[in-house]
Amino acid sequence: FLLVWNLMVPVFGAERKAAKRLKRRLSRLSTQEHRTSAAKMLREKYIRELNPIERQLETFPGMDQLALLIEQSGRNTPAHRLLLLSIALGLAAGTLVTFAVGSIPIGIIAGLLAAAIPFMKISMERNKRLARFEEQLPEAMDIMVRALKAGHPFTETLRLVAEEMNAPISVEFGITFADINYGLDVKQAFLNLLERVPNMTLMTVVIAVIVQRETGGNLAETLANISSVVRGRFKFQRRVKTLSAEGRMSAWILVLIPFVLFLGLMVTSPDYLTIMITEPLGIKIISVAFVMVIIGIFWIRR
């Protein structure tokens, strides 16, 4: 059930394709920029201060991406601790299920699902935080527009956003203001912001700022226009969600019915389905049914 749920989130996500395009664009931008080595130096210093076991965990492949995911979720948990928690949950759940059911394959599956729980929670918190950031962005741009029209320098508008608004946008704009204040180039500081907050709307703002810094123009008017477009986009998305609510609810019900029915039968008539999880043929049937459910999810989404 958790595996299907984890697959449904990206499949039914409205911005899945946009997120892929953003990832490719960020990758191209990062290869074009001569990025500062400060982040690399800080990470090397951070790893040196860990004990040998934690240092070994931090050198595993993908730990940099995991640390970025945790940062985007708004947490301060070290990546190695999340990995240790995942391993501990996986081992505990796998051992308990293996002794309770008497089946090693089912125990392994249970362990893998339990190990995925911390990563799923971090991913959900990250998506929630990014959505909150996008909701705050139009108001932040309005503050910047008013400050620019009042004669404030551009970097000062970032400080005003950091002081007058709530997290997470205040935190991210505060970091960007500090980067620029300590000598980092405006373009690189905003690319770093876009890396910390991968969002299509923010990319529009970043591109507008970078182009204005290089070619000139009325930045206040540009930001005001982007703010109006973003608000219209939110209004349109809410209307689409309202009109498609019945269809989306039907899709969720159709996908969840097999699992609810299975659990209901296990509770009311446990002997009826015991053969499905004890006989090799029953496990094969469950596997085929699971693959068909996944195909059904993609078909419904299509």
Side-chain angles (χ1 to χ4, degrees), residues 243-280:
L243 295 176
S244 62
E246 182 181 356
R248 288 185 289 112
M249 182 59 67
S250 300
W252 281 99
I253 292 173
L254 287 172
V255 170
L256 295 177
I257 277 177
F259 301 99
V260 175
L261 185 61
F262 185 87
L263 291 176
L265 288 173
M266 286 295 293
V267 172
T268 58
S269 304
D271 296 336
Y272 183 73
L273 290 178
T274 303
I275 192 173
M276 294 292 290
I277 58 178
T278 56
E279 295 292 331

Tab-separated table of all heavy atoms in Angstrom, residues 243-280:
chain	number	residue	atom	x	y	z
A	243	LEU	N	-13.457	21.832	-10.671
A	243	LEU	CA	-14.177	21.160	-11.753
A	243	LEU	C	-13.795	19.685	-11.862
A	243	LEU	O	-14.604	18.866	-12.321
A	243	LEU	CB	-13.902	21.870	-13.086
A	243	LEU	CG	-14.424	23.311	-13.204
A	243	LEU	CD1	-13.986	23.930	-14.530
A	243	LEU	CD2	-15.952	23.339	-13.103
A	244	SER	N	-12.579	19.335	-11.456
A	244	SER	CA	-12.115	17.950	-11.599
A	244	SER	C	-12.175	17.175	-10.287
A	244	SER	O	-11.656	16.063	-10.220
A	244	SER	CB	-10.678	17.936	-12.124
A	244	SER	OG	-9.812	18.574	-11.210
A	245	ALA	N	-12.801	17.748	-9.254
A	245	ALA	CA	-12.802	17.101	-7.938
A	245	ALA	C	-13.479	15.735	-7.986
A	245	ALA	O	-12.987	14.758	-7.412
A	245	ALA	CB	-13.491	18.001	-6.917
A	246	GLU	N	-14.617	15.643	-8.673
A	246	GLU	CA	-15.353	14.377	-8.723
A	246	GLU	C	-14.536	13.292	-9.418
A	246	GLU	O	-14.454	12.155	-8.950
A	246	GLU	CB	-16.685	14.575	-9.432
A	246	GLU	CG	-17.539	13.313	-9.474
A	246	GLU	CD	-18.858	13.528	-10.197
A	246	GLU	OE1	-19.133	14.676	-10.589
A	246	GLU	OE2	-19.606	12.554	-10.365
A	247	GLY	N	-13.921	13.653	-10.535
A	247	GLY	CA	-13.118	12.669	-11.256
A	247	GLY	C	-11.907	12.212	-10.466
A	247	GLY	O	-11.579	11.021	-10.454
A	248	ARG	N	-11.235	13.141	-9.773
A	248	ARG	CA	-10.070	12.762	-8.980
A	248	ARG	C	-10.466	11.891	-7.797
A	248	ARG	O	-9.769	10.944	-7.444
A	248	ARG	CB	-9.336	14.019	-8.507
A	248	ARG	CG	-8.609	14.737	-9.644
A	248	ARG	CD	-7.777	15.916	-9.176
A	248	ARG	NE	-8.641	17.017	-8.744
A	248	ARG	CZ	-8.760	17.423	-7.493
A	248	ARG	NH1	-8.091	16.810	-6.534
A	248	ARG	NH2	-9.543	18.440	-7.183
A	249	MET	N	-11.618	12.206	-7.170
A	249	MET	CA	-12.084	11.383	-6.062
A	249	MET	C	-12.440	9.973	-6.536
A	249	MET	O	-12.137	8.977	-5.867
A	249	MET	CB	-13.297	12.038	-5.404
A	249	MET	CG	-13.835	11.274	-4.197
A	249	MET	SD	-12.614	11.070	-2.891
A	249	MET	CE	-12.420	12.777	-2.362
A	250	SER	N	-13.039	9.866	-7.714
A	250	SER	CA	-13.350	8.544	-8.274
A	250	SER	C	-12.073	7.744	-8.521
A	250	SER	O	-12.027	6.536	-8.279
A	250	SER	CB	-14.137	8.700	-9.574
A	250	SER	OG	-15.356	9.383	-9.359
A	251	ALA	N	-11.024	8.425	-8.997
A	251	ALA	CA	-9.755	7.740	-9.241
A	251	ALA	C	-9.164	7.200	-7.939
A	251	ALA	O	-8.705	6.056	-7.876
A	251	ALA	CB	-8.773	8.700	-9.914
A	252	TRP	N	-9.171	8.016	-6.877
A	252	TRP	CA	-8.657	7.555	-5.589
A	252	TRP	C	-9.454	6.353	-5.076
A	252	TRP	O	-8.883	5.381	-4.574
A	252	TRP	CB	-8.718	8.691	-4.560
A	252	TRP	CG	-7.600	9.684	-4.687
A	252	TRP	CD1	-7.652	10.894	-5.302
A	252	TRP	CD2	-6.266	9.539	-4.196
A	252	TRP	NE1	-6.434	11.522	-5.221
A	252	TRP	CE2	-5.571	10.720	-4.541
A	252	TRP	CE3	-5.601	8.543	-3.491
A	252	TRP	CZ2	-4.225	10.922	-4.208
A	252	TRP	CZ3	-4.267	8.747	-3.156
A	252	TRP	CH2	-3.599	9.916	-3.523
A	253	ILE	N	-10.778	6.411	-5.198
A	253	ILE	CA	-11.615	5.306	-4.705
A	253	ILE	C	-11.313	4.022	-5.473
A	253	ILE	O	-11.163	2.941	-4.888
A	253	ILE	CB	-13.104	5.687	-4.821
A	253	ILE	CG1	-13.425	6.813	-3.827
A	253	ILE	CG2	-13.993	4.479	-4.545
A	253	ILE	CD1	-14.820	7.365	-3.972
A	254	LEU	N	-11.200	4.132	-6.800
A	254	LEU	CA	-10.930	2.948	-7.614
A	254	LEU	C	-9.580	2.325	-7.248
A	254	LEU	O	-9.439	1.098	-7.228
A	254	LEU	CB	-10.958	3.319	-9.098
A	254	LEU	CG	-12.331	3.589	-9.702
A	254	LEU	CD1	-12.195	4.125	-11.123
A	254	LEU	CD2	-13.172	2.319	-9.705
A	255	VAL	N	-8.589	3.163	-6.975
A	255	VAL	CA	-7.256	2.644	-6.655
A	255	VAL	C	-7.224	2.020	-5.263
A	255	VAL	O	-6.571	0.999	-5.038
A	255	VAL	CB	-6.215	3.775	-6.782
A	255	VAL	CG1	-4.867	3.327	-6.227
A	255	VAL	CG2	-6.061	4.190	-8.238
A	256	LEU	N	-7.951	2.591	-4.309
A	256	LEU	CA	-7.886	2.129	-2.927
A	256	LEU	C	-8.803	0.947	-2.639
A	256	LEU	O	-8.614	0.248	-1.638
A	256	LEU	CB	-8.230	3.277	-1.972
A	256	LEU	CG	-7.241	4.444	-1.955
A	256	LEU	CD1	-7.751	5.540	-1.026
A	256	LEU	CD2	-5.856	3.988	-1.513
A	257	ILE	N	-9.812	0.711	-3.497
A	257	ILE	CA	-10.775	-0.366	-3.244
A	257	ILE	C	-10.090	-1.730	-3.034
A	257	ILE	O	-10.435	-2.451	-2.091
A	257	ILE	CB	-11.821	-0.437	-4.378
A	257	ILE	CG1	-12.934	0.592	-4.111
A	257	ILE	CG2	-12.431	-1.826	-4.487
A	257	ILE	CD1	-13.977	0.642	-5.208
A	258	PRO	N	-9.132	-2.162	-3.882
A	258	PRO	CA	-8.525	-3.493	-3.664
A	258	PRO	C	-7.880	-3.631	-2.282
A	258	PRO	O	-8.016	-4.671	-1.639
A	258	PRO	CB	-7.481	-3.592	-4.782
A	258	PRO	CG	-7.955	-2.646	-5.823
A	258	PRO	CD	-8.598	-1.526	-5.103
A	259	PHE	N	-7.191	-2.582	-1.814
A	259	PHE	CA	-6.502	-2.658	-0.523
A	259	PHE	C	-7.510	-2.651	0.628
A	259	PHE	O	-7.364	-3.407	1.592
A	259	PHE	CB	-5.519	-1.491	-0.391
A	259	PHE	CG	-4.488	-1.458	-1.477
A	259	PHE	CD1	-4.627	-0.614	-2.567
A	259	PHE	CD2	-3.378	-2.289	-1.421
A	259	PHE	CE1	-3.686	-0.584	-3.576
A	259	PHE	CE2	-2.419	-2.266	-2.424
A	259	PHE	CZ	-2.578	-1.421	-3.499
A	260	VAL	N	-8.518	-1.813	0.535
A	260	VAL	CA	-9.532	-1.773	1.586
A	260	VAL	C	-10.289	-3.094	1.653
A	260	VAL	O	-10.554	-3.633	2.739
A	260	VAL	CB	-10.503	-0.593	1.342
A	260	VAL	CG1	-11.638	-0.596	2.362
A	260	VAL	CG2	-9.756	0.734	1.406
A	261	LEU	N	-10.622	-3.636	0.487
A	261	LEU	CA	-11.338	-4.910	0.444
A	261	LEU	C	-10.481	-6.040	1.014
A	261	LEU	O	-10.972	-6.900	1.759
A	261	LEU	CB	-11.744	-5.224	-0.995
A	261	LEU	CG	-12.599	-6.473	-1.210
A	261	LEU	CD1	-13.916	-6.357	-0.459
A	261	LEU	CD2	-12.860	-6.694	-2.697
A	262	PHE	N	-9.198	-6.038	0.681
A	262	PHE	CA	-8.283	-7.068	1.192
A	262	PHE	C	-8.197	-7.003	2.716
A	262	PHE	O	-8.292	-8.028	3.407
A	262	PHE	CB	-6.900	-6.876	0.565
A	262	PHE	CG	-5.910	-7.945	0.930
A	262	PHE	CD1	-5.835	-9.118	0.189
A	262	PHE	CD2	-5.053	-7.793	2.014
A	262	PHE	CE1	-4.923	-10.111	0.518
A	262	PHE	CE2	-4.141	-8.774	2.360
A	262	PHE	CZ	-4.084	-9.935	1.601
A	263	LEU	N	-8.026	-5.781	3.264
A	263	LEU	CA	-7.936	-5.638	4.719
A	263	LEU	C	-9.258	-6.019	5.382
A	263	LEU	O	-9.277	-6.661	6.443
A	263	LEU	CB	-7.567	-4.198	5.079
A	263	LEU	CG	-6.148	-3.748	4.707
A	263	LEU	CD1	-5.957	-2.273	5.021
A	263	LEU	CD2	-5.107	-4.579	5.443
A	264	GLY	N	-10.367	-5.642	4.751
A	264	GLY	CA	-11.666	-5.993	5.325
A	264	GLY	C	-11.883	-7.490	5.394
A	264	GLY	O	-12.371	-8.021	6.409
A	265	LEU	N	-11.501	-8.205	4.339
A	265	LEU	CA	-11.648	-9.658	4.336
A	265	LEU	C	-10.701	-10.318	5.338
A	265	LEU	O	-11.047	-11.330	5.957
A	265	LEU	CB	-11.392	-10.201	2.931
A	265	LEU	CG	-12.480	-9.907	1.897
A	265	LEU	CD1	-12.040	-10.355	0.509
A	265	LEU	CD2	-13.769	-10.614	2.287
A	266	MET	N	-9.492	-9.741	5.503
A	266	MET	CA	-8.557	-10.305	6.474
A	266	MET	C	-9.089	-10.173	7.898
A	266	MET	O	-8.838	-11.028	8.751
A	266	MET	CB	-7.204	-9.604	6.351
A	266	MET	CG	-6.409	-9.999	5.115
A	266	MET	SD	-5.901	-11.743	5.108
A	266	MET	CE	-4.742	-11.747	6.467
A	267	VAL	N	-9.843	-9.093	8.155
A	267	VAL	CA	-10.389	-8.884	9.492
A	267	VAL	C	-11.627	-9.747	9.723
A	267	VAL	O	-11.781	-10.385	10.770
A	267	VAL	CB	-10.715	-7.395	9.712
A	267	VAL	CG1	-11.470	-7.190	11.028
A	267	VAL	CG2	-9.431	-6.566	9.707
A	268	THR	N	-12.532	-9.767	8.744
A	268	THR	CA	-13.804	-10.471	8.927
A	268	THR	C	-13.684	-11.969	8.679
A	268	THR	O	-14.303	-12.771	9.375
A	268	THR	CB	-14.855	-9.873	7.992
A	268	THR	OG1	-14.401	-9.970	6.624
A	268	THR	CG2	-15.113	-8.410	8.330
A	269	SER	N	-12.896	-12.367	7.658
A	269	SER	CA	-12.748	-13.796	7.322
A	269	SER	C	-11.278	-14.101	7.071
A	269	SER	O	-10.851	-14.252	5.916
A	269	SER	CB	-13.582	-14.143	6.082
A	269	SER	OG	-14.939	-13.783	6.274
A	270	PRO	N	-10.465	-14.190	8.115
A	270	PRO	CA	-9.023	-14.381	7.920
A	270	PRO	C	-8.674	-15.684	7.208
A	270	PRO	O	-7.677	-15.741	6.478
A	270	PRO	CB	-8.462	-14.355	9.351
A	270	PRO	CG	-9.634	-14.639	10.238
A	270	PRO	CD	-10.831	-14.107	9.539
A	271	ASP	N	-9.484	-16.741	7.387
A	271	ASP	CA	-9.169	-18.013	6.733
A	271	ASP	C	-9.393	-17.950	5.223
A	271	ASP	O	-8.834	-18.772	4.491
A	271	ASP	CB	-10.044	-19.128	7.328
A	271	ASP	CG	-9.732	-19.363	8.801
A	271	ASP	OD1	-8.593	-19.034	9.211
A	271	ASP	OD2	-10.624	-19.848	9.529
A	272	TYR	N	-10.201	-17.011	4.786
A	272	TYR	CA	-10.554	-16.951	3.367
A	272	TYR	C	-9.349	-16.564	2.507
A	272	TYR	O	-9.194	-17.060	1.387
A	272	TYR	CB	-11.686	-15.933	3.182
A	272	TYR	CG	-12.195	-15.830	1.770
A	272	TYR	CD1	-12.980	-16.834	1.213
A	272	TYR	CD2	-11.884	-14.724	0.992
A	272	TYR	CE1	-13.450	-16.732	-0.079
A	272	TYR	CE2	-12.341	-14.621	-0.311
A	272	TYR	CZ	-13.128	-15.627	-0.835
A	272	TYR	OH	-13.586	-15.514	-2.125
A	273	LEU	N	-8.478	-15.682	3.016
A	273	LEU	CA	-7.358	-15.178	2.222
A	273	LEU	C	-6.002	-15.695	2.704
A	273	LEU	O	-4.970	-15.270	2.190
A	273	LEU	CB	-7.345	-13.646	2.250
A	273	LEU	CG	-8.472	-12.942	1.485
A	273	LEU	CD1	-8.359	-11.438	1.645
A	273	LEU	CD2	-8.431	-13.305	0.013
A	274	THR	N	-5.997	-16.588	3.684
A	274	THR	CA	-4.724	-17.082	4.208
A	274	THR	C	-3.904	-17.769	3.133
A	274	THR	O	-2.676	-17.615	3.058
A	274	THR	CB	-4.975	-18.051	5.377
A	274	THR	OG1	-5.734	-17.382	6.381
A	274	THR	CG2	-3.652	-18.533	5.966
A	275	ILE	N	-4.586	-18.507	2.275
A	275	ILE	CA	-3.879	-19.239	1.211
A	275	ILE	C	-3.164	-18.297	0.247
A	275	ILE	O	-2.166	-18.651	-0.379
A	275	ILE	CB	-4.880	-20.146	0.451
A	275	ILE	CG1	-4.113	-21.125	-0.449
A	275	ILE	CG2	-5.866	-19.307	-0.356
A	275	ILE	CD1	-5.018	-22.156	-1.083
A	276	MET	N	-3.670	-17.055	0.139
A	276	MET	CA	-3.064	-16.092	-0.784
A	276	MET	C	-1.666	-15.675	-0.337
A	276	MET	O	-0.828	-15.304	-1.164
A	276	MET	CB	-3.956	-14.855	-0.911
A	276	MET	CG	-5.294	-15.117	-1.578
A	276	MET	SD	-5.121	-15.525	-3.333
A	276	MET	CE	-4.616	-13.951	-3.975
A	277	ILE	N	-1.398	-15.704	0.970
A	277	ILE	CA	-0.097	-15.246	1.455
A	277	ILE	C	0.773	-16.392	1.962
A	277	ILE	O	1.903	-16.168	2.405
A	277	ILE	CB	-0.273	-14.202	2.588
A	277	ILE	CG1	-1.085	-14.788	3.739
A	277	ILE	CG2	-0.935	-12.941	2.066
A	277	ILE	CD1	-1.254	-13.833	4.910
A	278	THR	N	0.254	-17.626	1.884
A	278	THR	CA	1.047	-18.779	2.331
A	278	THR	C	1.473	-19.671	1.171
A	278	THR	O	2.524	-20.309	1.248
A	278	THR	CB	0.252	-19.617	3.343
A	278	THR	OG1	-0.997	-20.025	2.759
A	278	THR	CG2	-0.022	-18.794	4.603
A	279	GLU	N	0.671	-19.736	0.124
A	279	GLU	CA	1.001	-20.580	-1.025
A	279	GLU	C	1.797	-19.789	-2.067
A	279	GLU	O	1.522	-18.608	-2.295
A	279	GLU	CB	-0.279	-21.125	-1.662
A	279	GLU	CG	-1.065	-22.060	-0.776
A	279	GLU	CD	-0.319	-23.369	-0.543
A	279	GLU	OE1	0.465	-23.769	-1.429
A	279	GLU	OE2	-0.507	-23.965	0.530
A	280	PRO	N	2.770	-20.424	-2.733
A	280	PRO	CA	3.545	-19.722	-3.780
A	280	PRO	C	2.659	-19.184	-4.899
A	280	PRO	O	2.899	-18.085	-5.406
A	280	PRO	CB	4.505	-20.807	-4.281
A	280	PRO	CG	4.615	-21.779	-3.149
A	280	PRO	CD	3.283	-21.781	-2.479
